[in-house]
Amino acid sequence: MKVLADGDGQDLIALERRSSSLRSAKSAASYAVLVLFTIISVGPALYIISPAFRDSKSLFSYPPQWLPSEFFLGNFQFLLTQTNYVRWAMNTLIFATGVTLIALVIDTLAGYAFARMQFPLKKTLFGLILATLMVPTAAVLAPTYLLVRFLDDWTFGLVGIDTFPGLILPMTVSPLGVFMMRQFIETLPPGLYEAARIDGASEWRIFTRIVLPLMKPAIVVLGIFVFMLQWANLLWPLVATTKDETRVLTVGISTLQGQFVTNWGVIAAATLMTLVPITVVFLFFQKWFVQASVAGALKQ
Amino acid sequence: MTTTSATPEWAQLTMSPDECARERSRFRRHALKPIIGFLGPFLFLWTLFLAVPMGWATWLSFNEGGLVSDAKFVGFKNWTTFLNNDELRTAIKNTSVYVVVAITVVFGLGLILAALLNNNKKSQNFFKVALYFPLLIPPIMAGMIFFFLTHYDMGVINLLLQTAGQDRVNFLGANPNALMTIAGLEVWRGLGFWVLFYLAGLQSVPTDLIDAGKIDGARNTRRFLRISLPTLRPLMLFALVIALIFNFQLFDSVQALTKGGPTLGTTSIVWFIYKQLFTFQQSGVAYATSLALLLLVVALTIFAYGFLGHRKDGLK
Amino acid sequence: MAEVIIRQLTKSFGENTVVKSVSLKVADGEFLVLLGPSGCGKSTILRLIAGLEEATSGEILINGKIVNFVSPVNRNAAFVFQNYALYPHMSVRKNIAFPLATAGMPKPAIDEAVQDAARILELSDLLERLPSQLSGGQRQRVALARAIVRKPAVFLMDEPLSNLDAQLRQQTRLELMDLHRRLGITTIYVTHDQIEAMTMGQRIAILKDGELQQVAPPLEAYDQPANIFVARFMGAPPMNLIPVSVSGSEPTWSATTQGGSIDFDLKSVGITQAAIGAHMSESLQIGIRPEHLSLGAVGTGLSGKVRFIEPTGSDTFVTVQVGEKNVVVRCGVNETAKIGESVGLAVNPAKMHLFSADGWNLRTK
Ligand SMILES: Nc1ncnc2c1ncn2[C@@H]1O[C@H](COP(=O)(O)OP(=O)(O)O)[C@@H](O)[C@H]1O
Ligand SMILES: [Mg+2]
């Protein structure tokens, strides 16, 4: 509107032309920036392929060798025969899946209670739990470690250092999960819940038959969120495991450093072997992953 | 017919207040039963693995030992050490520098890229996926990947510099390079998250606001600064607190890349706690530091959610 | 089949008391409409009867039994929600079957009951659809089917027609009345629409700010409103109110307005001598419905000036300014009054109401 008042038709057309060429230049520039950051994001991880298929000695050669001159499989061979890589990978799967499944169960149940049930001190209790929303493992590392060690005696070795329950259970407590689930259940129309009550359903039946089926998206999102957090977890597994029987990938790979005068080719191979499956899964379920990560923060 | 007409017989109450109160409490107790099943599992684990450790952490901060030997009560000694420990001071300084650098860069870059992406609807999905990708990689492995970039002898960046006839950079073996490299790693890993976060925020800016801006003839940039950004401000403050909490926990990439060195140059608070506890068995000051970290995080959390709750009330 | 009685029912949410000592008796098989503006506590009363809320005080009886501390399902009351509350992930069949499956009924019996309910509500062809694949009217019928399938003693309906468009609403209204006639289930029906209340209710209970104003059959509530609130809420356009001062003595009384006075005798307006004696000195108002006024030549009845003329096709509503008050008159479509014209207003004194300063009708039935 203002533009119209400013000048006559000729100017206007010229302006339009100039601004449209400006716009296309701008969009090309923004495209270039985005492409640059795409390369920065993906490039480093892609480069790992090269050292993974090279003998470690060639890594330090000068002039640098960018691509493998031969398809060297020694790193992988070493990884599979001289280390417990397979065991670590299995353990990671057990650990991350275990935490995810337990967290999903307890979080959805508690989320339902906080969203839909009435009980005394509900607000106070929820406030307390909320205050512990982001307590880092590091801040309670010593007492948690001590606790698990004590539990070893009290539970006759069932929960303890170097056991899966001892590794998994302390990580299942995530107030954030309860919070997300409560938020989600609160967005479901309360009428559904009330209709089911009128229809005679118990809380358990309402939960399993009405609420749970409608929560699928939230459950997938929370599941991915928890799994991603735990599969990358280093600090707790580092403290809670001392043997390869329960050691997970993050810890295992960090033991490769130094243990064998740092065989870089092997580290590259281990990293690559770990990244390939998760990348494939990611590419299949990218929408959910993206949603999961943002949901964690945006769902408040 | 007036309001004051006497209550007809059929409308007289038949239950005595006592009876009513008894029935009510019986009914409520009955309704409470399922709560145990729903809340019990979480509450049990929460108490055991979060509340108890938090209380224990408080107690431990007045103790020494306990990990290999028996714990010994030492009063406020840990806290005086806490205030005077040079290594810890360095750790706090390093962590603070790291937090400021990482958050500034990642927020700035994230916002810019989100804005670019928001105007680039066509390939948005591709870029989203690409930028998100590093987040899949556990920090410890991201550290390994960064080795191949920043290693003095075999790092790609140095190889490229060398090929171009430039001097090599000692990314990991000198200060403050090492800390900056670690900040770089976290920015690399976290950037995608913040881009998606801001993008979601930008896309939730009501379109009528933006359209109003268009009609008013506001330029793209101005529109972004004047309309989109202010609407995002509450969200950003919240995000800032979350980012602070997360970044104060810097550990994995230190473990992967530098092990706290060179000469404490990358010793972070959590690295310090871990090292003191499990390598040097100097548990006292580590206990105090843990508790300080715990209190900081809880305070920030309450602030963030208190703030958010406040804002919501304000909107009503 | 059951009688519903509520006794001095009160409900507070914190400080806010939204139902205030409401007593109501609904006969077995009756269709009672709870009417009132939005926010007056209608839904809350219905939810209290259903057991979705717990009463602060008072008693609720269904079939002679106090059910205050009985779980919803054992009250045997079915609830139809405003937005139907169909389970979105279940087919129509599963939705209707849900209450029965919950009660543990064997499958063949469930199938039969679902078929029956579907037949009554003409849903037989839609049983495999999801709620999202149905129109508003069909969803509404599914909600009804789910309510009738377990043969409840009481039907509680919370504005079940408000989400339908005007045409469908009228049709569904008739279907609902037909359903009630066929099944004879005691029904408490909540609405804020006085036309719905008038046409459907055997009796109407009118509510304002959580307080019961009047319970009466529709025409009685219309012709003998207990107070100004009921008088104005029932009927569109609403009853005219004109401030008056009353003077006189047996046998002729007169009510004087700014536009003249109206003579009346106590018998025809149904007021006792004691009542008028007690209130004569207050600032009273007369209430008269548009259809009980007619336009005449200047000099007949009250005098005023024509302000607006609104033809609706079947009637023409003429707004006449009498003193400072606008008074609406219902006229035939051939009315020839012109805006600005001075006219006389003939009042039918027998249809007139006299309201006390605190709003109550002085008329005794
Ligand atoms: N769960 C509740 N908590 C607090 N106030 C409520 C609740 N439910 C209803 N109210 C209040 O009670 C009043 C009556 O509500 P409602 O019974 O839904 O009115 P109606 O159905 O007549 O429109 C309203 O002012 C409403 O805000
Ligand atoms: Mg309502």
Side-chain angles (χ1 to χ4, degrees):
Chain A
M1 304 275 197
K2 277 177 196 155
V3 179
L4 264 180
D6 282 350
D8 61 34
Q10 286 300 315
D11 283 356
L12 212 80
I13 292 164
L15 194 75
E16 185 68 14
R17 217 173 268 150
R18 208 169 48 210
S19 79
S20 94
S21 69
L22 197 70
R23 212 176 300 140
S24 65
K26 258 191 194 164
S27 95
S30 83
Y31 207 76
V33 172
L34 288 170
V35 169
L36 175 70
F37 275 93
T38 299
I39 293 169
I40 292 177
S41 288
V42 183
L46 280 180
Y47 173 72
I48 207 84
I49 297 173
S50 159
F53 288 103
R54 277 151 64 191
D55 192 347
S56 289
K57 278 176 230 118
S58 80
L59 290 174
F60 296 89
S61 63
Y62 192 86
Q65 196 186 335
W66 299 111
L67 292 171
S69 52
E70 49 165 348
F71 214 54
F72 179 71
L73 290 173
N75 297 327
F76 293 94
Q77 205 171 23
F78 181 89
L79 206 56
L80 294 175
T81 55
Q82 307 295 306
T83 74
N84 272 320
Y85 180 89
V86 177
R87 181 81 233 196
W88 300 335
M90 292 270 294
N91 291 346
T92 290
L93 217 55
I94 295 170
F95 168 60
T97 313
V99 174
T100 307
L101 289 181
I102 295 175
L104 282 178
V105 171
I106 64 177
D107 290 356
T108 45
L109 284 171
Y112 178 83
F114 280 117
R116 287 279 176 254
M117 295 167 105
Q118 302 304 326
F119 51 93
L121 292 179
K122 179 168 140 174
K123 277 216 165 115
T124 317
L125 187 61
F126 193 66
L128 267 180
I129 292 175
L130 210 59
T132 65
L133 194 69
M134 292 182 210
V135 169
T137 311
V140 286
L141 192 61
T144 310
Y145 172 78
L146 289 172
L147 181 69
V148 173
R149 236 176 44 184
F150 276 111
L151 286 176
D152 211 346
D153 291 340
W154 298 340
T155 60
F156 309 103
L158 193 68
V159 182
I161 299 300
D162 283 326
T163 68
F164 278 111
L167 181 64
I168 289 170
L169 285 176
M171 294 296 108
T172 57
V173 183
S174 82
L176 186 66
V178 176
F179 191 64
M180 279 168 64
M181 294 297 105
R182 184 194 81 136
Q183 295 290 93
F184 187 86
I185 295 171
E186 280 188 341
T187 65
L188 298 176
L192 292 182
Y193 169 82
E194 293 178 336
R197 269 210 319 150
I198 300 262
D199 286 345
S202 63
E203 295 285 359
W204 179 248
R205 188 169 160 86
I206 298 174
F207 178 73
T208 53
R209 293 305 172 86
I210 310 290
V211 175
L212 222 44
L214 296 174
M215 278 182 78
K216 268 181 213 150
I219 288 173
V220 173
V221 164
L222 180 63
I224 292 179
F225 185 74
V226 174
F227 189 92
M228 291 307 290
L229 221 56
Q230 295 310 327
W231 113 283
N233 195 347
L234 171 70
L235 187 58
W236 175 247
L238 194 60
V239 171
T241 57
T242 59
K243 303 192 186 84
D244 272 349
E245 280 72 55
T246 46
R247 204 169 262 161
V248 297
L249 269 176
T250 47
V251 180
I253 288 185
S254 82
T255 62
L256 289 178
Q257 268 179 309
Q259 195 180 336
F260 305 101
V261 204
T262 310
N263 187 337
W264 289 109
V266 171
I267 287 188
T271 308
L272 182 63
M273 258 170 67
T274 312
L275 286 187
V276 167
I278 192 80
T279 308
V280 171
V281 174
F282 167 64
L283 289 177
F284 268 104
F285 300 103
Q286 22 155 314
K287 275 227 176 69
W288 291 104
F289 272 77
V290 169
Q291 214 176 329
S293 75
V294 179
L298 264 190
K299 282 267 167 73
Q300 295 158 4
Chain B
M1 178 175 174
T2 55
T3 35
T4 48
S5 65
T7 316
E9 201 189 334
W10 60 263
Q12 302 287 350
L13 298 184
T14 55
M15 265 177 127
S16 71
D18 274 357
E19 199 183 345
C20 193
R22 212 165 340 113
E23 283 290 295
R24 184 182 304 255
S25 69
R26 185 192 56 82
F27 183 64
R28 287 193 178 161
R29 253 199 323 277
H30 186 74
L32 278 183
K33 265 183 212 155
I35 305 263
I36 301 164
F38 281 91
L39 213 48
F42 176 80
L43 221 50
F44 173 74
L45 289 173
W46 179 80
T47 310
L48 187 60
F49 290 114
L50 207 51
V52 166
M54 281 170 72
W56 201 337
T58 315
W59 165 247
L60 278 177
S61 75
F62 300 102
N63 282 268
E64 247 173 14
L67 289 177
V68 284
S69 56
D70 282 343
K72 193 168 90 229
F73 187 80
V74 293
F76 281 90
K77 183 174 151 229
N78 295 335
W79 289 103
T80 40
T81 325
F82 171 79
L83 295 172
N84 297 315
N85 187 307
D86 283 339
E87 196 173 335
L88 177 60
R89 275 194 200 161
T90 316
I92 293 173
K93 195 197 79 197
N94 288 340
T95 312
S96 307
V97 170
Y98 156 81
V99 165
V100 171
V101 172
I103 291 186
T104 313
V105 175
V106 95
F107 270 41
L109 272 181
L111 198 52
I112 293 172
L113 290 177
L116 292 181
L117 217 47
N118 198 25
N119 291 334
N120 199 326
K121 301 272 185 299
K122 255 186 296 168
S123 344
Q124 204 178 68
N125 213 33
F126 168 78
F127 288 125
K128 263 159 114 173
V129 169
L131 291 172
Y132 181 93
F133 173 74
L135 212 63
L136 292 177
I137 306 169
I140 183 90
M141 282 167 224
M144 304 303 173
I145 289 172
F146 256 55
F147 252 120
F148 291 95
L149 293 184
T150 60
H151 195 274
Y152 191 66
D153 295 318
M154 57 141 190
V156 175
I157 300 176
N158 276 333
L159 291 179
L160 284 173
L161 286 172
Q162 229 173 339
T163 319
Q166 306 280 323
D167 284 342
R168 288 187 290 176
V169 179
N170 196 350
F171 286 104
L172 297 170
N175 289 324
N177 297 8
L179 193 62
M180 293 304 119
T181 307
I182 283 173
L185 165 59
E186 292 298 329
V187 169
W188 177 71
R189 246 197 109 235
L191 185 61
F193 173 82
W194 291 107
V195 172
L196 294 178
F197 178 87
Y198 283 129
L199 192 61
L202 282 177
Q203 286 171 346
S204 71
V205 173
T207 40
D208 49 347
L209 263 186
I210 302 211
D211 289 344
K214 272 184 192 159
I215 289 167
D216 291 346
R219 293 275 204 82
N220 257 334
T221 332
R222 259 176 71 93
R223 211 154 64 212
F224 181 73
L225 291 177
R226 291 292 170 82
I227 299 169
S228 301
L229 219 48
T231 351
L232 283 185
R233 197 154 45 194
L235 192 67
M236 280 170 72
L237 185 61
F238 180 72
L240 182 67
V241 177
I242 308 287
L244 271 177
I245 293 175
F246 271 111
N247 280 294
F248 260 103
Q249 299 170 41
L250 174 65
F251 174 78
D252 295 25
S253 38
V254 174
Q255 162 83 0
L257 284 177
T258 59
K259 308 264 191 244
T263 59
L264 299 184
T266 57
T267 296
S268 69
I269 296 174
V270 174
W271 172 261
F272 173 81
I273 294 174
Y274 171 75
K275 257 315 186 226
Q276 295 289 323
L277 281 176
F278 291 98
T279 311
F280 306 127
Q281 266 94 41
Q282 289 283 324
S283 47
V285 68
Y287 292 155
T289 314
S290 302
L291 190 67
L293 181 66
L294 182 64
L295 295 178
L296 176 77
V297 167
V298 171
L300 281 173
T301 310
I302 292 172
F303 169 77
Y305 281 89
F307 169 79
L308 208 74
H310 203 71
R311 185 171 65 91
K312 271 189 187 154
D313 291 346
L315 281 179
K316 278 181 196 164
Chain C
M1 307 299 129
E3 179 191 50
V4 177
I5 298 176
I6 57 183
R7 292 173 173 157
Q8 302 175 33
L9 191 64
T10 298
K11 174 69 185 175
S12 307
F13 293 106
E15 296 283 282
N16 186 13
T17 304
V18 300
V19 176
K20 295 163 190 161
S21 194
V22 169
S23 298
L24 197 60
K25 196 167 165 180
V26 188
D28 185 8
E30 186 180 356
F31 195 111
L32 180 116
V33 175
L34 261 182
L35 176 68
S38 103
C40 70
K42 307 178 298 285
S43 298
T44 307
I45 292 179
L46 215 57
R47 293 163 58 81
L48 285 163
I49 299 173
L52 292 172
E53 304 276 0
E54 199 191 301
T56 308
S57 66
E59 290 168 6
I60 302 163
L61 286 84
I62 297 177
N63 227 351
K65 221 178 91 210
I66 295 184
V67 295
N68 282 46
F69 306 113
V70 171
S71 66
V73 63
N74 294 328
R75 298 185 186 200
N76 204 9
F79 203 110
V80 179
F81 292 84
Q82 185 169 359
N83 48 11
Y84 320 137
L86 299 180
Y87 310 125
H89 56 295
M90 295 184 191
S91 64
V92 169
R93 179 191 298 283
K94 288 242 171 72
N95 261 283
I96 300 175
F98 188 76
L100 304 179
T102 303
M105 192 187 259
K107 199 157 178 330
I110 293 180
D111 283 344
E112 199 173 319
V114 171
Q115 295 295 349
D116 278 353
R119 194 167 26 76
I120 292 174
L121 288 151
E122 293 167 25
L123 290 165
S124 303
D125 297 338
L126 305 173
L127 284 175
E128 306 314 323
R129 299 231 192 133
L130 286 176
S132 58
Q133 299 163 329
L134 300 177
S135 71
Q138 291 168 334
R139 280 180 213 180
Q140 221 266 336
R141 295 214 302 275
V142 177
L144 285 170
R146 189 175 64 184
I148 64 169
V149 75
R150 62 187 180 112
K151 311 225 176 331
V154 185
F155 249 155
L156 305 170
M157 304 194 189
D158 191 355
E159 314 213 10
L161 304 184
S162 64
N163 283 354
L164 302 178
D165 61 46
Q167 204 177 354
L168 199 53
R169 197 179 309 167
Q170 189 164 12
Q171 184 194 333
T172 314
R173 203 158 76 197
L174 298 175
E175 285 172 7
L176 271 181
M177 288 158 73
D178 185 48
L179 192 67
H180 177 254
R181 201 165 323 121
R182 274 190 287 165
L183 303 177
I185 298 174
T186 314
T187 303
I188 303 178
Y189 182 102
V190 160
T191 183
H192 64 259
D193 179 343
Q194 52 104 8
I195 307 255
E196 239 173 61
M198 292 286 291
T199 51
M200 298 179 82
Q202 292 172 345
R203 284 192 305 154
I204 305 180
I206 298 140
L207 212 66
K208 179 200 175 197
D209 294 340
E211 275 176 294
L212 201 56
Q213 306 292 308
Q214 184 173 14
V215 186
L219 286 179
E220 187 184 322
Y222 187 80
D223 289 332
Q224 323 263 343
N227 55 29
I228 290 184
F229 177 79
V230 176
R232 301 270 299 172
F233 198 76
M234 306 285 293
M239 185 184 280
N240 295 298
L241 291 175
I242 309 168
V244 294
S245 58
V246 170
S247 60
S249 62
E250 272 309 298
T252 35
W253 298 76
S254 75
T256 311
T257 72
Q258 288 175 324
S261 61
I262 305 158
D263 291 341
F264 61 94
D265 64 281
L266 291 182
K267 195 148 170 267
S268 68
V269 295
I271 299 174
T272 61
Q273 210 167 337
I276 199 139
H279 293 281
M280 234 172 95
S281 55
E282 293 174 10
S283 46
L284 302 174
Q285 296 185 82
I286 56 164
I288 183 89
R289 295 206 178 273
E291 64 265 35
H292 299 136
L293 288 165
S294 53
L295 293 185
V298 182
T300 45
L302 308 177
S303 55
K305 206 172 243 173
V306 175
R307 294 287 310 276
F308 309 108
I309 301 173
E310 301 163 278
T312 64
S314 55
D315 304 300
T316 297
F317 291 101
V318 178
T319 305
V320 177
Q321 189 175 354
V322 177
E324 281 153 15
K325 271 283 186 187
N326 280 336
V327 174
V328 178
V329 186
R330 194 176 88 185
C331 305
V333 282
N334 299 323
E335 183 54 53
T336 53
K338 291 192 178 57
I339 290 176
E341 195 182 351
S342 289
V343 289
L345 269 183
V347 178
N348 178 357
K351 296 291 186 181
M352 189 175 91
H353 302 273
L354 205 54
F355 294 105
S356 66
D358 54 7
W360 291 94
N361 198 341
L362 298 184
R363 201 184 262 267
T364 44
K365 283 183 227 168

